[in-house]
PDB file of all heavy atoms in Angstrom:
ATOM      1  N   THR A 144     132.113   8.170 157.535  1.00 86.00           N
ATOM      2  CA  THR A 144     132.104   6.847 156.920  1.00 86.00           C
ATOM      3  C   THR A 144     132.837   6.862 155.582  1.00 86.00           C
ATOM      4  O   THR A 144     133.638   5.971 155.276  1.00 86.00           O
ATOM      5  CB  THR A 144     130.662   6.359 156.707  1.00 86.00           C
ATOM      6  OG1 THR A 144     129.983   6.319 157.967  1.00 86.00           O
ATOM      7  CG2 THR A 144     130.638   4.979 156.086  1.00 86.00           C
ATOM      8  N   PHE A 153     142.518   3.358 149.800  1.00 89.00           N
ATOM      9  CA  PHE A 153     143.860   3.840 149.414  1.00 89.00           C
ATOM     10  C   PHE A 153     144.962   3.059 150.139  1.00 89.00           C
ATOM     11  O   PHE A 153     146.030   2.797 149.565  1.00 89.00           O
ATOM     12  CB  PHE A 153     143.983   5.331 149.693  1.00 89.00           C
ATOM     13  CG  PHE A 153     143.221   6.188 148.732  1.00 89.00           C
ATOM     14  CD1 PHE A 153     142.281   7.109 149.173  1.00 89.00           C
ATOM     15  CD2 PHE A 153     143.443   6.083 147.357  1.00 89.00           C
ATOM     16  CE1 PHE A 153     141.577   7.898 148.282  1.00 89.00           C
ATOM     17  CE2 PHE A 153     142.742   6.875 146.456  1.00 89.00           C
ATOM     18  CZ  PHE A 153     141.801   7.786 146.918  1.00 89.00           C
ATOM     19  N   VAL A 167     153.098 -11.120 141.274  1.00 74.00           N
ATOM     20  CA  VAL A 167     151.646 -11.019 141.179  1.00 74.00           C
ATOM     21  C   VAL A 167     151.084 -10.998 142.601  1.00 74.00           C
ATOM     22  O   VAL A 167     151.177 -11.994 143.324  1.00 74.00           O
ATOM     23  CB  VAL A 167     151.035 -12.201 140.389  1.00 74.00           C
ATOM     24  CG1 VAL A 167     149.523 -12.080 140.361  1.00 74.00           C
ATOM     25  CG2 VAL A 167     151.605 -12.241 138.980  1.00 74.00           C
ATOM     26  N   LEU A 203     108.168  16.456 165.222  1.00 80.00           N
ATOM     27  CA  LEU A 203     107.527  17.202 164.153  1.00 80.00           C
ATOM     28  C   LEU A 203     106.032  16.927 164.070  1.00 80.00           C
ATOM     29  O   LEU A 203     105.228  17.826 163.852  1.00 80.00           O
ATOM     30  CB  LEU A 203     108.183  16.864 162.812  1.00 80.00           C
ATOM     31  CG  LEU A 203     109.622  17.345 162.623  1.00 80.00           C
ATOM     32  CD1 LEU A 203     110.193  16.793 161.332  1.00 80.00           C
ATOM     33  CD2 LEU A 203     109.684  18.866 162.605  1.00 80.00           C
ATOM     34  N   PHE A 248      91.774  33.747 152.037  1.00 85.00           N
ATOM     35  CA  PHE A 248      91.871  32.873 150.873  1.00 85.00           C
ATOM     36  C   PHE A 248      92.601  33.571 149.737  1.00 85.00           C
ATOM     37  O   PHE A 248      92.607  34.789 149.617  1.00 85.00           O
ATOM     38  CB  PHE A 248      90.480  32.411 150.407  1.00 85.00           C
ATOM     39  CG  PHE A 248      89.579  33.522 149.955  1.00 85.00           C
ATOM     40  CD1 PHE A 248      89.634  34.003 148.653  1.00 85.00           C
ATOM     41  CD2 PHE A 248      88.651  34.086 150.838  1.00 85.00           C
ATOM     42  CE1 PHE A 248      88.791  35.026 148.237  1.00 85.00           C
ATOM     43  CE2 PHE A 248      87.806  35.098 150.429  1.00 85.00           C
ATOM     44  CZ  PHE A 248      87.876  35.579 149.123  1.00 85.00           C
ATOM     45  N   PRO A 301     106.731  28.740 165.918  1.00 90.00           N
ATOM     46  CA  PRO A 301     107.640  29.779 165.411  1.00 90.00           C
ATOM     47  C   PRO A 301     108.418  30.422 166.553  1.00 90.00           C
ATOM     48  O   PRO A 301     107.868  30.679 167.628  1.00 90.00           O
ATOM     49  CB  PRO A 301     106.682  30.784 164.754  1.00 90.00           C
ATOM     50  CG  PRO A 301     105.450  29.994 164.448  1.00 90.00           C
ATOM     51  CD  PRO A 301     105.334  28.990 165.548  1.00 90.00           C
ATOM     52  N   ARG A 322     101.144  28.609 140.741  1.00 87.00           N
ATOM     53  CA  ARG A 322     100.460  29.719 141.403  1.00 87.00           C
ATOM     54  C   ARG A 322     100.220  29.458 142.892  1.00 87.00           C
ATOM     55  O   ARG A 322      99.842  30.368 143.617  1.00 87.00           O
ATOM     56  CB  ARG A 322      99.115  29.981 140.731  1.00 87.00           C
ATOM     57  CG  ARG A 322      99.210  30.558 139.329  1.00 87.00           C
ATOM     58  CD  ARG A 322      97.826  30.807 138.765  1.00 87.00           C
ATOM     59  NE  ARG A 322      97.873  31.405 137.443  1.00 87.00           N
ATOM     60  CZ  ARG A 322      96.794  31.664 136.704  1.00 87.00           C
ATOM     61  NH1 ARG A 322      95.592  31.354 137.181  1.00 87.00           N
ATOM     62  NH2 ARG A 322      96.908  32.202 135.509  1.00 87.00           N
ATOM     63  N   VAL A 330     104.196  37.012 163.942  1.00 92.00           N
ATOM     64  CA  VAL A 330     104.015  38.280 164.649  1.00 92.00           C
ATOM     65  C   VAL A 330     103.832  38.030 166.139  1.00 92.00           C
ATOM     66  O   VAL A 330     103.712  36.893 166.596  1.00 92.00           O
ATOM     67  CB  VAL A 330     102.791  39.033 164.081  1.00 92.00           C
ATOM     68  CG1 VAL A 330     102.991  39.335 162.600  1.00 92.00           C
ATOM     69  CG2 VAL A 330     101.509  38.218 164.274  1.00 92.00           C
ATOM     70  N   LEU A 339      93.345  39.082 163.367  1.00 91.00           N
ATOM     71  CA  LEU A 339      92.062  38.367 163.394  1.00 91.00           C
ATOM     72  C   LEU A 339      90.892  39.353 163.428  1.00 91.00           C
ATOM     73  O   LEU A 339      89.893  39.167 162.725  1.00 91.00           O
ATOM     74  CB  LEU A 339      92.009  37.437 164.607  1.00 91.00           C
ATOM     75  CG  LEU A 339      93.020  36.272 164.637  1.00 91.00           C
ATOM     76  CD1 LEU A 339      92.856  35.479 165.929  1.00 91.00           C
ATOM     77  CD2 LEU A 339      92.850  35.365 163.425  1.00 91.00           C
ATOM     78  N   PRO A 352      85.035  26.287 159.563  1.00 84.00           N
ATOM     79  CA  PRO A 352      86.099  26.429 158.567  1.00 84.00           C
ATOM     80  C   PRO A 352      85.600  26.137 157.159  1.00 84.00           C
ATOM     81  O   PRO A 352      84.790  25.228 156.956  1.00 84.00           O
ATOM     82  CB  PRO A 352      87.140  25.388 159.013  1.00 84.00           C
ATOM     83  CG  PRO A 352      86.913  25.250 160.481  1.00 84.00           C
ATOM     84  CD  PRO A 352      85.428  25.387 160.670  1.00 84.00           C
ATOM     85  N   CYS A 379      86.171  19.047 156.806  1.00 56.00           N
ATOM     86  CA  CYS A 379      87.088  19.932 157.508  1.00 56.00           C
ATOM     87  C   CYS A 379      87.235  19.530 158.968  1.00 56.00           C
ATOM     88  O   CYS A 379      88.246  19.802 159.599  1.00 56.00           O
ATOM     89  CB  CYS A 379      86.567  21.369 157.418  1.00 56.00           C
ATOM     90  SG  CYS A 379      87.865  22.610 157.203  1.00 56.00           S
TER      91      CYS A 379
END
Side-chain angles (χ1 to χ4, degrees):
T144 301
F153 287 125
V167 178
L203 292 173
F248 63 85
R322 291 181 178 177
V330 300
L339 295 178
C379 218

